[in-house]
Amino acid sequence: MKFEYNLYSLRKRIFASVCAISLIFLLLITRLFYLQFFSASELQSKAESQWTRDLPITAERGKIYDANGVALAVSYTTYNVYTRYREIKDINEVALFLAKKLNMSFNSVFEKVSNSSVSEVLIKLKIEQKLAEEILISDISGIFLSENVTRYYPYGNLLTQVLGFTSIDNVGQAGLEAYFNETLSGIDGYYMVQSDLQGKEIDNTLRTYVKSTAGENVTLSIDANIQLILEQVMEKAYIDQQAKGITGIIMKAKTGEIVAMSNKPSFDLNEVPRDNVASLMDIMKNKCVVDVYEPGSTFKILTTAAALENGITSETDCFYCGGSKLVDGQKIKCWKSIGHGSQKLTEGFANSCNCVFMTLAERMGTSNFYNYLKNFGIGSKTGIEISGESSGIMLNEKNVKTVDLARIGFGQTIAVTPIQLISAVCSIVNGGNKITPTILKQQNFKQGQKVISQSTSNSINEMMKLVVNKTAMYSFVPGYDIGGKTGTAQKYENGTIARGKYISSFIGTYPASDPEYVLLFCVDEPSAGAYYGSVVAAPYGKEIFSGMFEYLNVQPINLEDDLKRVEATIKMPDLVGKSLTESVNNLINLGLTYEIDGEGGVIKQQLPPAGTMLFPNANVILVT
């Protein structure tokens, strides 16, 4: 009985052992299957990293060109310097050599090259080719070079906020460099060699070279020459007007292509001030598409176009301005406190009379007016290829009161971005075809939807021409057909009017009869004394157009006749301390126009100062 028990027990043990061994083999086979089919690539990669050493080859970043093929952002090859501890024969020799060649302290280099805890250490990034060649021919063991790509901007601070910049690793961080980063980046390559356990390169072994793939190029609609003209005038205005900032855009009216776009202040893209990130991000913000502002009188172009198209007014329609208008029990003033009196629509537009535009907005009603504004693109993003675009601010249509509607009519109680406003104006003056702004050069342009009729567009163009030509007595740029409109808007802070803070602006078109170019020029918080758009912004618009005509070789027409009409023959009188009535009569008798700032009866300040030689019908600011 005892023998049978032992035999039975032995059989059980053998069976259990076989099962256990089978299970172990099954687990091993399963693990092997998993490693072979699921982890093979990962393990292969780890193995290769142990027996190989590789140096990266950075892909050349794509170039950015202007519309004429001028390079605005390029890349060139530089080299990174590495050392490998296991390959160094004389640490002191390597440290002395690199410290001298790279203009670095001996101690910092010595500390790096003597670090035995890592197989490879970076000494310096992005050295020039000549220096790299000098290091290479030295043939000192333990020193290695790898190719890198450095971004360079040939025009320095031109198009700062538009182009943006890259990180040290050539990754776009701002502007178009960030927006088109995937297109521009390319694919990095590498150079790989086999090494032993200590990280030393094994002689006569397989070397692998994988070439990098360059990124694609991007061609912009920007014209570098016109951009330069714009930025030079903006820099001048920034200093002259002691402004917080300047924004400027020049757009092709029929295609929406941005010819020039800039913000001031700016900086050299080759010397990015990275020490203060918050300040850098603020100055890099492209205010042309990000910031919103109340446009003021430049918005009257949209109101007039909508009213004419809606059929609630005509060019000969008559209006009366007594200096203010009562709306919902609120007295809303015209900028000219004594009023413009009786005037036709064309005269009201030239006078920029607030009362006229309040009346037009009321006649249209909220629903009609809003429909036109939305068709013009107000209240929505334009879709331009620039990050961070804002939609602007419009009151909810259901919440608009009559007093709000009246204010919207002359450019208050509504906020737009500069790109939004100039796009809307382009859509109005180009014959009524809605455009979508673009920073890229267009190959196949498709005409947009019709927002107003050709006849309404023609009427607006004639009115804008009348504004800057001062009823044909004064040409904005002698010999050239230019239209325009100025604007002066108070700024708001924390929901209330910020006293003494304005945005002065000018919108100009050329040629006025059938615009090809539209210019928007805005001066944020001018503090040199004047703040009216006609004084602070319009003169710089004149300089920009003059520069463009010279560059584009556009010849003047009827220049002699124009010059005869615009000889500066009127000497500005000294009106400070005199009564408003006496001053106004004096200006009218001299053939000058005027704007009044204030409601007092005595002149405290005048622009321009006494003794200035003026053209006939030039505009004078009287501060009471």
Side-chain angles (χ1 to χ4, degrees):
M1 293 296 292
K2 187 176 181 180
F3 172 77
E4 289 179 1
Y5 174 77
N6 289 339
L7 182 62
Y8 177 73
S9 178
L10 181 62
R11 287 175 177 172
K12 284 183 65 178
R13 289 175 182 176
I14 292 172
F15 179 75
S17 297
V18 170
C19 289
I21 292 170
S22 299
L23 179 61
I24 290 170
F25 271 101
L26 180 62
L27 291 174
L28 288 173
I29 292 170
T30 303
R31 178 62 176 168
L32 183 62
F33 179 82
Y34 176 80
L35 293 175
Q36 286 284 348
F37 292 95
F38 293 97
S39 298
S41 59
E42 181 183 353
L43 293 173
Q44 181 72 18
S45 176
K46 287 182 178 179
E48 286 182 1
S49 69
Q50 292 178 354
W51 72 65
T52 61
R53 290 290 178 267
D54 67 279
L55 291 174
I57 301 173
T58 307
E60 182 179 355
R61 193 170 176 84
K63 297 179 178 65
I64 300 178
Y65 293 103
D66 86 336
N68 301 314
V70 175
L72 302 172
V74 299
S75 298
Y76 65 96
T77 302
T78 54
Y79 299 86
N80 300 335
V81 182
Y82 296 87
T83 58
R84 290 178 183 158
Y85 180 80
R86 303 291 183 184
E87 302 276 352
I88 296 174
K89 292 179 181 179
D90 187 334
I91 292 176
N92 200 59
E93 178 191 23
V94 171
L96 278 170
F97 176 76
L98 291 179
K100 182 180 179 180
K101 284 293 181 183
L102 302 178
N103 195 26
M104 298 173 66
S105 72
F106 172 79
N107 291 336
S108 66
V109 176
F110 184 85
E111 184 180 352
K112 289 182 178 182
V113 299
S114 60
N115 186 355
S116 60
S117 62
V118 293
S119 61
E120 188 175 86
V121 63
L122 174 66
I123 305 299
K124 191 167 185 178
L125 281 169
K126 299 185 176 183
I127 67 170
E128 301 296 326
Q129 183 174 349
K130 184 179 179 182
L131 183 56
E133 289 173 352
E134 292 175 5
I135 292 174
L136 193 63
I137 62 175
S138 70
D139 203 28
I140 297 176
S141 63
I143 302 175
F144 297 87
L145 299 173
S146 69
E147 286 185 7
N148 201 348
V149 175
T150 297
R151 202 63 162 165
Y152 180 68
Y153 303 92
Y155 290 88
N157 67 344
L158 197 75
L159 287 157
T160 297
Q161 292 83 1
V162 175
L163 291 177
F165 54 85
T166 63
S167 67
I168 199 168
D169 297 319
N170 282 301
V171 177
Q173 290 190 308
L176 297 179
E177 292 279 27
Y179 191 93
F180 291 109
N181 185 62
E182 189 174 337
T183 302
L184 293 165
S185 289
I187 303 172
D188 291 344
Y190 58 88
Y191 175 67
M192 184 180 292
V193 297
Q194 293 187 358
S195 61
D196 61 17
L197 290 174
Q198 293 183 325
K200 293 183 179 180
E201 183 178 342
I202 302 173
D203 293 333
N204 301 318
T205 56
L206 183 66
R207 290 174 171 82
T208 304
Y209 176 77
V210 177
K211 187 179 180 181
S212 62
T213 303
E216 295 180 36
N217 299 327
V218 173
T219 301
L220 307 182
S221 55
I222 296 290
D223 185 315
N225 289 293
I226 296 179
Q227 180 74 30
L228 187 60
I229 293 167
L230 174 66
E231 292 210 22
Q232 286 174 339
V233 175
M234 288 176 67
E235 191 66 40
K236 179 183 177 183
Y238 180 66
I239 296 169
D240 289 349
Q241 300 302 327
Q242 301 172 31
K244 179 181 179 181
I246 311 281
T247 55
I249 306 173
I250 302 174
M251 183 186 288
K252 286 189 176 180
K254 292 179 172 61
T255 65
E257 291 171 284
I258 302 294
V259 178
M261 174 186 282
S262 184
N263 302 264
K264 295 295 177 186
S266 61
F267 60 84
D268 188 337
L269 288 169
N270 298 307
E271 300 291 339
V272 180
R274 302 178 191 272
D275 52 328
N276 188 324
V277 176
S279 174
L280 176 60
M281 288 300 101
D282 181 63
I283 200 171
M284 274 307 300
K285 183 170 62 172
N286 191 336
K287 295 178 174 62
C288 292
V289 301
V290 176
D291 282 9
V292 299
Y293 71 106
E294 284 196 350
S297 293
T298 52
F299 196 80
K300 293 170 182 175
I301 299 170
L302 280 64
T303 303
T304 307
L308 285 170
E309 188 68 18
N310 195 234
I312 55 93
T313 191
S314 66
E315 294 178 52
T316 56
D317 198 1
C318 288
F319 301 82
Y320 180 78
C321 170
S324 65
K325 183 176 172 65
L326 198 64
V327 184
D328 282 351
Q330 293 188 34
K331 183 181 180 181
I332 305 176
K333 300 176 184 177
C334 179
W335 65 264
K336 189 173 184 180
S337 57
I338 61 174
H340 290 97
S342 182
Q343 57 196 329
K344 295 178 182 179
L345 177 65
T346 51
E347 295 168 328
F349 186 88
N351 293 331
S352 200
C353 175
N354 290 348
C355 293
V356 171
F357 297 95
M358 285 189 273
T359 301
L360 293 177
E362 287 182 83
R363 286 183 187 177
M364 278 187 284
T366 304
S367 181
N368 269 340
F369 196 16
Y370 262 51
N371 282 340
Y372 279 104
L373 295 183
K374 289 174 182 177
N375 286 339
F376 295 151
I378 304 301
S380 59
K381 296 180 182 180
T382 65
I384 191 171
E385 306 90 348
I386 296 175
S387 300
E389 184 181 8
S390 302
S391 301
I393 303 173
M394 290 179 73
L395 288 173
N396 188 303
E397 190 176 330
K398 295 178 181 178
N399 300 328
V400 176
K401 301 175 183 177
T402 306
V403 67
D404 299 323
L405 183 64
R407 291 184 182 279
I408 293 171
F410 61 88
Q412 290 185 0
T413 319
I414 192 166
V416 299
T417 61
I419 192 66
Q420 216 174 41
L421 182 62
I422 192 173
S423 298
V425 172
C426 282
S427 299
I428 289 170
V429 302
N430 69 6
N433 302 303
K434 186 172 184 179
I435 58 95
T436 299
T438 180
I439 199 78
L440 299 177
K441 186 175 182 179
Q442 297 298 290
Q443 303 296 335
N444 300 305
F445 171 70
K446 294 182 179 179
Q447 204 169 68
Q449 72 178 80
K450 204 79 171 170
V451 291
I452 59 171
S453 65
Q454 182 68 56
S455 61
T456 298
S457 179
N458 292 342
S459 295
I460 295 296
N461 289 334
E462 284 302 311
M463 288 184 183
M464 292 181 70
K465 182 177 178 179
L466 185 64
V467 171
V468 297
N469 289 329
K470 301 292 185 182
T471 60
M473 293 176 67
Y474 169 50
S475 179
F476 193 67
V477 179
Y480 296 92
D481 180 28
I482 297 175
K485 190 81 180 74
T486 60
T488 309
Q490 289 179 302
K491 294 184 69 174
Y492 283 75
E493 291 181 354
N494 303 317
T496 58
I497 293 175
R499 290 195 173 275
K501 294 185 178 182
Y502 299 86
I503 292 182
S504 307
S505 58
F506 168 74
I507 283 186
T509 61
Y510 174 81
S513 53
D514 185 19
E516 182 179 353
Y517 294 99
V518 176
L519 160 69
L520 173 60
F521 192 90
C522 300
V523 181
D524 186 12
E525 293 186 23
S527 58
Y531 58 84
Y532 278 98
S534 56
V535 176
V536 171
Y540 299 104
K542 180 176 181 177
E543 287 188 45
I544 292 166
F545 275 125
S546 297
M548 286 176 61
F549 297 147
E550 183 177 353
Y551 160 63
L552 296 171
N553 196 26
V554 179
Q555 299 301 314
I557 300 172
N558 298 325
L559 178 59
E560 291 185 6
D561 293 339
D562 239 357
L563 287 173
K564 288 178 183 178
R565 293 199 302 267
V566 294
E567 290 179 357
T569 56
I570 304 173
K571 187 176 182 180
M572 178 67 190
D574 185 0
L575 303 176
V576 176
K578 295 183 179 180
S579 70
L580 177 61
T581 303
E582 180 185 357
S583 299
V584 167
N585 288 334
N586 196 345
L587 294 176
I588 292 173
N589 291 334
L590 288 171
L592 300 172
T593 62
Y594 62 92
E595 296 178 14
I596 302 170
D597 181 10
E599 297 181 353
V602 178
I603 307 302
K604 289 186 177 181
Q605 185 183 358
Q606 66 180 56
L607 291 168
T612 303
M613 296 305 295
L614 301 175
F615 297 109
N617 217 38
N619 201 50
V620 174
I621 307 295
L622 300 176
V623 181
T624 65

